[in-house]
Amino acid sequence: MDPSPHPLSQFVLKMHSRCDLACDHCYVFEHADQSWRGRPKVISEEILDLTARRIAEHARAHRLDTVYVVLHGGEPLLAGRAGLRRAAESLRTALSGVCALDLRIHTNGVTLDEKFCDLFAEFDIRVGISLDGDRAANDLHRLYRDGRSSHDQVLRAIALLSGPRYRHLFAGLLCTIDLRNDPTVVYDALAELAPPRIDFLLPHATWDEPPARPADSMSYGDWLLTVHDRWTATGRPMGVRVLDSVLRTLRGADSLTESLGLAPVELAVIETDGSLEQADSLKTAYDGAPGTGMNVTADSLDAMAEHPGVVARQLGLDGLCDTCRACEVVQSCGGGLYAHRYRSRNDADESGGFMNPSVYCADLKQLITGIRDREAQRMPSPRLPLDDMHLGELSAGFGGADAVEALARHELTVNRELLAAVWHNSPHDATGAAAWETLAVLDAEAPESVDAVLAHPYLRPWAQRALAGDAETGPIAMRGVAELAAAALLRAGRAGTVTVPTGSGVLRLPTLGALVVGEAGEAQVTAGGDEGFGVRVSGREHLVGRKAGSDPAWLARHRFELPGWAVVLEDTDPWRDAHGYPVRARLSAAAAEGWRSDLTAAWEWIRRELPAYAPGLAAGLSVVTPLRESAADADISSAARDAFGAVAIARPGTPETLACLLVHEFQHVKLGAVLDLTDLHDPGCERLFYAPWRPDPRPLEGLLQGTYAHVAVVDYWRALHRSTGDATAEVQFARWREQTAEAVRTLAGSGALTKLGERFVTAMGETLSTRLTDPVNADALAEALRTAADHRGIAAR
């Protein structure tokens, strides 16, 4: 047993102690604890500011990476925009320079509007919504006081959060189980809303007040297993917290919820009067159960962490009764939710308090063993299209032509699936249907031309937008299908015509270029015959492609055939802005020639000084998109997670720097493709980790991406120092090898890597270990270590 209490990192901040709904299953208003009656309706500015300072001093004292705060109630939106803004500002100000803030709000959604969402976007507040299923299921409990349904208002709020403007704020849906509701109907109703996550909650109950079990109904375990089976059959399209938690704990990882697993609970609730309380779920046990007698006006969070009720929930196995400790599924179950273990003591029964199994004990065991057995019977995952040798090459940081070509084949398959999804999920018109038919014929008769077009790096950003589901996506979808069909037809040289709707005055022909068509609504693209490639727009003929000649309307991509590497400079595709930085407009002939010169020199340098990286780069990097240069002359480069085969770069000052940016960003391209194939880490991991080179904490995938990319950065500075003897290069080499090795150690110790991920990170570490033995001048090493220490200090603060 650990004698010292765990620091608190999760906080529920009560913004308002009343609600505009009257849900009859609410643990705040309808259960044993009625302390809400004596509390202020709205939290004061003084309590908000003091709470923020208490959280910050606790985070600073315990060097927390991140604190998680949920704005709650009652109904937190009743606190108004001004009150919510004050809470966000107070927390952000107090925690600035201390640690990261993960700020969320949980609401019934009935008064959510664009003004609230704009506020949440300003402060990056993620929003969870309560909804119990379809209208019939939801209206069993979630009603206004006059009996009106809240269903329509909640759906309106979810639609607002699901649109492109606010989608990044949508945290998920919370659903309380009622056995009278069909689990498949409930799941389908929620899944249809495409939330990023669903939480299914067992209704709060104790041994004194057991959960409802209607006659002839299934058990809660069966109900959740039915949801599991439906979720699995539909491809597990979103996270389901309780199911993900069971899967995680079965393989030894931490749970995502306090209701499962043995991880210590690190939660405190701050009420509207500043009272420090334990989890709200305890309100179902008895009046006063969550209370601690503490208040932020007089007590620190260190004192709260030492409260016996908090410590009791941090003891793991030692905090469970004998029945639980002897159970085969205790590592997953963890005794269930603490509140659900409560039984009042009487003369006939000495097992009072919380030292009991959960009142849902049988249900939890049924759920956990059911999922365990189902997972054991599932068909093994398809073999990766990479053999062990190729995977070993990639995980070491490199990857030859064969390995990268295998990744490219898989990415082409993904693109084909996305194109099919666009077609099946978008409204069809006659033009789109004709273009689709052309694609289908070409795919049978000239598949290489279709493959070449569908491998275009910017197909996926278009497809994702087309699948977004807003009012503009129908035209985007059918225009894109027609553009792809026209480009494939032109590449194949087969006789035929495709009509393409035009947008923004430009006809896009992926992998070929673009034609300026002005205000014309559509263009006819024709291939074959004596004329070769042709486009008719408003009665005027244009030649496109290699036979375009000097037609000023035709904007051909700049294709460079370098020794061993064919690369395109992309300045025509409108979807090339997927990289997150402003792109350059159409390059002049002189600017394109400057790029050709620099790319030629950079490629020669890579082949000579970084030969381990050259074959993979030549096999998988086909497009460089020019970015707009920085006014501060900073080097800018990026690789989009969903644009395999492309990197974006602002033209740097030297070919050597361009070489560094190319190999650095192509690392991201390779790793993104590997992650499309398989999980290297637990996708449910929500913790943040510091990279030694950044002051802000990152999700695990961000740290993995950065570490993999910096393996190449280490090798770049190593090669530059070896080839030139430059002292600055020596310092940079020493610095980056130390910091990247530290990042590898963080990844290895995260506890969230899959077995394959552990192997991948180990191989990266082995590559770096050989760099750590390189002799480095003592002064250069000292300067490098000082720089690394400075960055660690920034991260620690």
Side-chain angles (χ1 to χ4, degrees):
M1 183 188 306
D2 186 352
S4 60
H6 291 262
L8 305 175
S9 61
Q10 303 168 35
F11 304 93
V12 174
L13 181 55
K14 296 301 188 73
M15 297 299 300
H16 201 284
S17 63
R18 305 296 189 269
C19 190
D20 41 9
L21 294 183
C23 307
D24 59 13
H25 56 12
C26 180
Y27 54 82
V28 174
F29 302 111
E30 303 296 334
H31 284 249
D33 183 270
Q34 292 290 298
S35 57
W36 63 273
R37 297 181 182 276
R39 292 207 165 96
K41 289 184 179 180
V42 186
I43 194 168
S44 68
E45 291 184 357
E46 292 75 18
I47 295 296
L48 278 176
D49 292 344
L50 183 54
T51 297
R53 291 198 297 273
R54 291 290 193 196
I55 293 173
E57 69 183 19
H58 188 71
R60 183 181 292 107
H62 297 281
R63 302 186 69 178
L64 300 180
D65 287 340
T66 307
V67 296
Y68 303 83
V69 179
V70 179
L71 306 179
H72 214 282
E75 170 48 50
L77 296 187
L78 295 180
R81 285 182 287 277
L84 295 173
R85 174 178 290 278
R86 180 56 179 260
E89 288 176 339
S90 294
L91 289 163
R92 178 182 283 185
T93 299
L95 290 166
S96 178
V98 177
C99 69
L101 170 65
D102 185 315
L103 186 57
R104 306 189 179 211
I105 189 167
H106 195 88
T107 171
N108 59 38
V110 297
T111 59
L112 187 72
D113 59 18
E114 289 189 3
K115 291 182 178 179
F116 275 121
C117 288
D118 288 340
L119 172 67
F120 300 153
E122 180 182 350
F123 289 95
D124 195 25
I125 302 173
R126 299 188 67 197
V127 185
I129 300 281
S130 293
L131 180 68
D132 287 349
D134 61 354
R135 180 183 296 275
N138 197 66
D139 288 356
L140 283 178
H141 302 285
R142 304 188 58 77
L143 302 171
Y144 286 95
R145 297 190 185 281
D146 61 4
R148 287 181 296 126
S149 170
S150 64
H151 191 254
D152 289 342
Q153 287 81 358
V154 179
L155 291 189
R156 176 193 52 77
I158 294 169
L160 186 62
L161 285 172
S162 297
R165 184 175 174 186
Y166 302 120
R167 179 70 186 182
H168 65 289
L169 301 176
F170 193 10
L173 301 176
L174 184 148
C175 171
T176 300
I177 298 169
D178 189 313
L179 294 181
R180 293 172 292 177
N181 295 326
D182 185 312
T184 301
V185 172
V186 169
Y187 172 81
D188 286 348
L190 299 179
E192 185 178 358
L193 301 173
R197 183 181 293 280
I198 302 174
D199 279 3
F200 289 104
L201 300 184
L202 295 168
H204 289 317
T206 68
W207 288 101
D208 292 354
E209 297 288 340
R213 297 183 185 272
D216 300 325
S217 70
M218 63 177 63
S219 68
Y220 288 94
D222 274 332
W223 201 98
L224 282 168
L225 283 173
T226 302
V227 169
H228 169 274
D229 294 346
R230 181 66 168 173
W231 177 59
T232 300
T234 55
R236 299 181 178 179
M238 78 293 290
V240 177
R241 194 179 299 269
V242 63
L243 304 180
D244 284 328
S245 293
V246 172
L247 291 167
R248 286 168 58 91
T249 53
L250 284 172
R251 60 175 181 259
D254 289 342
S255 170
L256 300 173
T257 171
E258 64 173 316
S259 62
L260 291 168
L262 292 169
V265 174
E266 301 171 351
L267 173 72
V269 177
I270 299 94
E271 292 285 355
T272 56
D273 61 356
S275 295
L276 290 167
E277 294 204 338
Q278 301 176 71
D280 274 349
S281 56
L282 288 171
K283 293 180 182 293
T284 200
Y286 58 89
D287 195 21
T292 65
M294 298 183 188
N295 193 290
V296 293
T297 58
D299 301 285
S300 69
L301 291 173
D302 279 2
M304 173 69 177
E306 294 173 354
H307 185 275
V310 175
V311 173
R313 305 174 71 202
Q314 299 181 337
L315 299 178
L317 279 172
D318 292 325
L320 301 181
C321 67
D322 291 343
T323 300
C324 289
R325 287 201 296 269
C327 181
E328 63 174 312
V329 298
V330 65
Q331 296 292 332
S332 288
C333 175
L337 190 67
Y338 189 72
H340 296 172
R341 307 172 200 169
Y342 181 74
R343 185 197 305 265
S344 60
R345 181 176 285 109
N346 56 50
D347 293 339
D349 186 357
E350 294 299 320
S351 61
F354 296 94
M355 193 59 77
N356 301 289
S358 169
V359 71
Y360 290 104
C361 177
D363 300 285
L364 293 173
K365 188 170 185 178
Q366 181 184 19
L367 172 65
I368 293 165
T369 57
I371 291 177
R372 180 195 65 193
D373 294 346
R374 283 162 167 78
E375 286 296 297
Q377 294 170 8
R378 288 184 72 193
M379 293 295 290
S381 299
R383 178 177 172 81
L384 296 180
L386 293 169
D387 60 29
D388 285 346
M389 181 183 71
H390 292 154
L391 189 60
E393 292 174 5
L394 290 163
S395 57
F398 313 118
D402 289 346
V404 174
E405 286 170 359
L407 295 179
R409 287 192 294 272
H410 180 261
E411 293 298 292
L412 175 61
T413 299
V414 173
N415 284 0
R416 282 180 166 273
E417 291 171 352
L418 280 170
L419 176 60
V422 169
W423 176 251
H424 290 298
N425 288 281
S426 303
H428 304 165
D429 57 18
T431 299
W436 185 260
E437 178 64 22
T438 297
L439 266 178
V441 171
L442 288 172
D443 203 24
E445 298 180 355
E448 67 287 346
S449 68
V450 177
D451 282 349
V453 173
L454 298 191
H456 181 48
Y458 299 119
L459 181 146
R460 200 175 304 185
W462 159 77
Q464 290 171 335
R465 175 64 188 280
L467 291 168
D470 58 43
E472 299 180 8
T473 56
I476 289 172
M478 289 303 103
R479 182 165 66 242
V481 168
E483 291 168 343
L484 293 167
L489 182 68
L490 293 174
R491 294 185 72 96
R494 300 282 180 116
T497 298
V498 176
T499 299
V500 185
T502 58
S504 305
V506 176
L507 168 64
R508 167 181 177 257
L509 293 170
T511 73
L512 296 173
L515 183 72
V516 178
V517 296
E519 298 181 358
E522 62 180 31
Q524 282 72 47
V525 179
T526 302
D530 296 337
E531 295 297 321
F533 301 163
V535 177
R536 176 182 289 274
V537 183
S538 300
R540 182 179 176 186
E541 296 285 352
H542 298 269
L543 286 178
V544 301
R546 290 183 295 276
K547 298 183 179 181
S550 59
D551 188 340
W554 173 241
L555 309 177
R557 299 196 308 170
H558 312 281
R559 179 179 172 84
F560 306 143
E561 292 284 351
L562 308 182
W565 182 33
V567 61
V568 166
L569 203 61
E570 176 63 84
D571 61 355
T572 66
D573 195 300
W575 299 102
R576 71 189 188 280
D577 62 356
H579 297 275
Y581 291 94
V583 297
R584 283 287 304 269
R586 176 69 172 175
L587 298 176
S588 67
E593 188 57 37
W595 268 101
R596 176 199 290 271
S597 176
D598 285 355
L599 282 167
T600 301
W603 176 235
E604 289 176 354
W605 197 93
I606 291 169
R607 295 176 75 197
R608 182 178 67 251
E609 305 295 343
L610 295 172
Y613 293 89
L617 188 148
L621 182 59
S622 59
V623 169
V624 174
T625 292
L627 296 176
R628 195 180 304 163
E629 289 79 5
S630 166
D633 292 329
D635 293 326
I636 301 174
S637 63
S638 178
R641 177 71 170 78
D642 296 314
F644 179 84
V647 299
I649 297 174
R651 185 181 170 192
T654 68
E656 290 79 13
T657 301
L658 179 56
C660 178
L661 299 179
L662 287 168
V663 295
H664 173 120
E665 297 302 343
F666 191 60
Q667 294 290 93
H668 290 301
V669 173
K670 290 186 293 185
L671 182 56
V674 171
L675 291 171
D676 280 347
L677 282 167
T678 185
D679 288 331
L680 298 182
H681 61 86
D682 181 351
C685 178
E686 296 183 347
R687 286 183 293 150
L688 300 177
F689 300 84
Y690 278 104
W693 48 83
R694 293 183 65 123
D696 55 326
R698 307 286 291 158
L700 188 64
E701 183 171 331
L703 178 61
L704 180 61
Q705 282 276 6
T707 306
Y708 192 68
H710 279 93
V711 171
V713 173
V714 170
D715 280 349
Y716 166 79
W717 288 112
R718 181 187 191 220
L720 188 64
H721 171 59
R722 286 182 169 184
S723 63
T724 65
D726 182 74
T728 299
E730 185 176 26
V731 172
Q732 292 296 328
F733 166 55
R735 171 197 168 184
W736 286 113
R737 72 177 186 180
E738 297 292 333
Q739 291 188 310
T740 309
E742 181 182 346
V744 166
R745 291 192 292 271
T746 300
L747 287 167
S750 68
L753 299 175
T754 63
K755 293 296 184 184
L756 192 57
E758 291 174 356
R759 174 182 165 190
F760 199 93
V761 169
T762 297
M764 278 197 290
E766 290 171 350
T767 297
L768 286 165
S769 67
T770 65
R771 300 347 182 210
L772 290 168
T773 61
D774 276 19
V776 173
N777 178 276
D779 290 339
L781 181 59
E783 184 176 345
L785 293 176
R786 280 195 300 272
T787 303
D790 288 344
H791 279 265
R792 279 195 298 272
I794 290 171
R797 292 195 296 273

